[in-house]
Amino acid sequence: MSFHLFGNIVTAYGTAANNRGENEGNITTLQKLFWKGDVHTTVSAEAIRWALRYYWQTCGNGYQVNRQWNDAKNDNDWQNPNFDDETYIDDDVLGYMKAEAAKSEGSDESKKGKKREKGTTTAKRGVLEVTRAISMVPFEGDITFNATSGQKLDKDGNPKTNTLYGTEVHATRYQYGFALTPDRLKDKSRIIGVLDGLTSIGEVGGNQARFLYDFSPESLVLRWTHDFSPRFLYCFQEEDGEISIPDLLRRVQAGDIEANELWIAGAIAQSDAGEMLQELGANVFVGIKTAVQSVKRVIAEDLDLEDLA
């Protein structure tokens, strides 16, 4: 049976806001969705994937990355536009897609009556699946007003008279989940790079809309299991500033999740639920890094990753 790694992460408390881009409007907005009866802000899975790839590119651990971010160009540089999931960790873990239109040859007259050729697509589905990050508390509509720096011109080259713009700001934590089946990777040891990255990423984004918001875990739940379903995504709740995991505790008590398959770490470890889960047999750690090192040792042993065991 295949092993599966599932995780649910809640970030530290911070202020989320997009930097002003080159737009004509006066309000810089955050992405939002309707969640459990209220409007919440959200960060896309693609922004988290960008941050993971950027970690691999800059962490100095020897990961080869195909799609590398170029700060000077504010765009990506491809090392191999034809992809190589044997060589590059991002091609293997995150997948890729390249669509090419059909080539057109000959005159319009010569093409009459011929069957139209189809374009080609080179694609690999990502092995790592990431959910959207959703704010722990509803968005109340906070806006800050800021003045533009320097001389701003309109489309006709005339100085703009309105130099104020508004930015939506949300003081909150975010939670998101992920799933990975290492047997689907060309190199199963790359599961270690995924764990290191998701527990170390900082800012999320990918273009001029990046903002500094620490996306490393304040609390973390990991599950290493043969079960095909995670069963605990979005398990964190916040009330009066306190984070809890009542649904996770209920599922363990009901027998839907084996306690010894869980690694629970961070601030949540010192909660009542964290202590109860430890009594039930879960692996509970106050430190995030300590918990990750523990689960990596188990993964290395189960997958016969000799260099990491």
Side-chain angles (χ1 to χ4, degrees), residues 178-197:
F178 65 90
L180 176 70
T181 302
D183 283 347
R184 292 177 53 209
L185 293 169
K186 286 293 181 70
D187 182 349
K188 290 190 288 187
S189 71
R190 285 169 173 162
I191 188 175
I192 304 301
V194 171
L195 270 172
D196 287 341

Side-chain angles (χ1 to χ4, degrees), residues 17 47 71 75 92 94 108 117 145 214 237 263 289:
D71 281 311
D75 202 355
D92 193 10
L94 302 178
D108 292 339
E117 294 185 7
F145 288 94
D214 188 354
Q237 296 183 16
W263 276 258
K289 291 183 177 180

Side-chain angles (χ1 to χ4, degrees), residues 78-95:
W78 294 90
Q79 307 309 298
N80 182 349
N82 295 316
F83 310 109
D84 181 354
D85 56 6
E86 296 276 1
T87 301
Y88 300 109
I89 186 172
D90 55 332
D91 285 354
D92 193 10
V93 173
L94 302 178

Side-chain angles (χ1 to χ4, degrees), residues 199-217:
T199 53
S200 302
I201 59 176
E203 59 185 344
V204 295
N207 50 41
Q208 86 278 356
R210 277 177 288 169
F211 56 86
L212 179 59
Y213 187 107
D214 188 354
F215 247 66
S216 63

Side-chain angles (χ1 to χ4, degrees), residues 2 10 23-24 45 59 87 104 116-117 119 136 159 169 171 185 188 199 216 222 242 251 271 284 298 309:
S2 293
V10 64
N23 59 354
E24 294 295 327
C59 70
T87 301
S104 178
R116 186 175 181 179
E117 294 185 7
M136 294 297 297
V169 179
L185 293 169
K188 290 190 288 187
T199 53
S216 63
L222 298 173
E242 296 294 324
R251 286 175 176 265
S271 67
V284 179
V298 173

Side-chain angles (χ1 to χ4, degrees), residues 12-18 30 168-174 211-214:
Y13 190 80
T15 53
N18 281 332
L30 291 164
E168 291 184 340
V169 179
H170 194 191
T172 185
R173 297 176 177 88
Y174 286 94
F211 56 86
L212 179 59
Y213 187 107
D214 188 354

Side-chain angles (χ1 to χ4, degrees), residues 124-182:
K124 173 185 176 179
R125 179 182 172 183
V127 178
L128 176 68
E129 298 175 292
V130 183
T131 72
R132 269 189 171 271
I134 299 175
S135 64
M136 294 297 297
V137 296
F139 178 62
E140 300 294 342
D142 294 332
I143 296 177
T144 63
F145 288 94
N146 315 276
T148 57
S149 60
Q151 181 66 60
K152 301 296 181 180
L153 305 178
D154 62 21
K155 61 182 179 180
D156 297 320
N158 301 314
K160 289 185 177 180
T161 57
N162 182 7
T163 61
L164 290 177
Y165 67 92
T167 298
E168 291 184 340
V169 179
H170 194 191
T172 185
R173 297 176 177 88
Y174 286 94
Q175 71 167 317
Y176 67 96
F178 65 90
L180 176 70
T181 302

